[in-house]
Amino acid sequence: MEFRQLEYFIAVVETGSISAASRRVHIAQPALTRQMRLLEESVGTQLLDRHARGIHLTVAGKALYSEATRLLDERSDIKARLLALGSGQTGKLSLGVTVTHLWLPEVAKLMGGYRERYPKVALDVFPLLSGPQLDRLQQGSLDVGILYLDDDMPSGIDAQLLQHDHLVLAVPASSSWAESPPASLAALCDAEFVWGYRSISPVYFDRVVAHFARLNFEPLVVQYGADNLTILSMVAAGLGLAIVPAASRCHPMSGIVFIELEELSSCDMPLWLAWRSGEEPPVLKNFIDLATTLFI
C-alpha cells in the first residue's frame, strides 16, 4: 500500500467513479483500475463494489477511506513541520547577551526583528557576562552569544565582529567630577573606583588592564561589583567612579554622568557574535544573517 494509491482511492471515492477520478488525478482509466486492484490485493480484501452506475464502498472501503484521509493529512503536516524546521521557521535558539548590551539599540532591533521574522522560533535570552557565555558556548548549553572576545578566537568558536566600542568614565551626578570633568586619567590618581572581578569576565578585564598599563595608570579600587549594571548602581549611589564600556550609556539609569576621555576612547572594545564551530542549524544561520545586516 502506497500513499499514491491512497490518493487515487480517495479520488475514486469522492468522484464516485473510475472515469471521473482518472480525470481528477490525470492518469488513464486502465492504469487507475489496475492501481485499485493492487491496493485491494495489498490489504487483502475488496474495497469497492463496481457496477454500471459507478462504485460503492464496502465496509472495509469505508474504513480505509477514513484512515486514508487522516494519513494523508498527517503526511502533509509532517512535511510542513520538517520544511519549517529545515528553513529555520520553527525551533529554539538560546542567546547570551552581556548585561551591558541588553539595552543597546542594535541588540533590541536584533531580538525584535528576529522575533518578527520567525515568530514560531522560541528565543531564550540569558543576560551573561562574556566569561560565562564563552563557557556555555563551549559546553553546548548556549547557541549564540553577544560578548567580548580576544583577537585570537578560542578553540571551537566561530565569531562575527558586530561593532567597535570604547571605554567611558562614569561618575556620580552629585560629584564634583560631574560639574568639572577631568582632562585626563592622571587627574584621577587619587579617586576611588568601583571595579569588577577578573574571574567573571577575563577577556574584558585583561583588555582594560593592558590598556591602563600602556598609559601607566592604575585605578585606586575600593569597591567591587559583580557586573557593569551592579557597578553603575554603586556609582549612582556615590560609592566611587567607574570605567565602563560606552554602551553602558544606553541603560536607563539616573544619578550617573558619563564622561568621554581621549585616553579611554582609544581603548578598542570589539563586540562579537559567537557560536560553536561546525554547528549552524537553520535557526542560528538566520540569526547570524540578521545580526550581520543590523550591525555591519
Side-chain angles (χ1 to χ4, degrees), residues 96-251:
V97 184
T98 61
V99 177
T100 299
H101 295 92
L102 280 172
W103 284 269
L104 194 68
E106 291 85 352
V107 171
K109 290 179 181 178
L110 174 59
M111 293 191 294
Y114 187 78
R115 177 64 177 173
E116 182 178 352
R117 292 190 185 191
Y118 309 103
K120 294 184 179 180
V121 175
L123 181 62
D124 293 340
V125 181
F126 300 91
L128 295 166
L129 295 173
S130 298
Q133 277 196 60
L134 187 57
D135 290 341
R136 292 198 186 189
L137 286 171
Q138 293 173 323
Q139 294 165 5
S141 59
L142 193 68
D143 295 318
V144 61
I146 296 176
L147 70 164
Y148 293 113
L149 287 174
D150 264 333
D151 297 331
D152 296 328
M153 288 297 126
S155 175
I157 295 294
D158 288 338
Q160 168 71 51
L161 179 65
L162 295 179
Q163 69 175 29
H164 291 280
D165 200 0
H166 62 277
L167 299 175
V168 294
L169 177 67
V171 304
S174 59
S175 72
S176 59
W177 295 115
E179 296 182 3
S180 181
S184 67
L185 290 176
L188 303 174
C189 60
D190 295 324
E192 296 183 342
F193 279 84
V194 182
W195 215 248
Y197 299 103
R198 181 185 184 278
S199 60
I200 59 177
S201 192
V203 172
Y204 171 82
F205 186 96
D206 291 347
R207 198 176 190 92
V208 173
V209 169
H211 182 72
F212 289 163
R214 291 191 291 268
L215 298 174
N216 197 29
F217 173 71
E218 185 175 353
L220 175 61
V221 179
V222 297
Q223 301 282 342
Y224 285 88
D227 53 47
N228 280 330
L229 185 58
T230 303
I231 290 171
L232 288 175
S233 68
M234 296 169 74
V235 172
L239 301 184
L241 314 184
I243 293 173
V244 295
S248 301
R249 292 178 294 194
C250 298
H251 187 278

Side-chain angles (χ1 to χ4, degrees), residues 159-164 268-273 291-292 295-296:
Q160 168 71 51
L161 179 65
L162 295 179
Q163 69 175 29
H164 291 280
D268 183 29
M269 301 297 295
L271 187 66
W272 296 82
L273 186 73
T292 301
F295 277 88
I296 304 301

Side-chain angles (χ1 to χ4, degrees), residues 8-9 11-37 40 48-51 53-55:
Y8 293 163
F9 175 72
V12 171
V13 174
E14 292 180 349
T15 60
S17 70
I18 295 291
S19 59
S22 69
R23 292 190 295 271
R24 175 168 161 177
V25 297
H26 307 290
I27 67 169
Q29 287 188 47
L32 180 56
T33 298
R34 181 172 181 275
Q35 289 298 323
M36 291 301 95
R37 294 197 183 280
E40 289 177 327
L48 303 170
D49 279 333
R50 300 163 180 83
H51 53 82
R53 295 183 179 180
I55 59 99

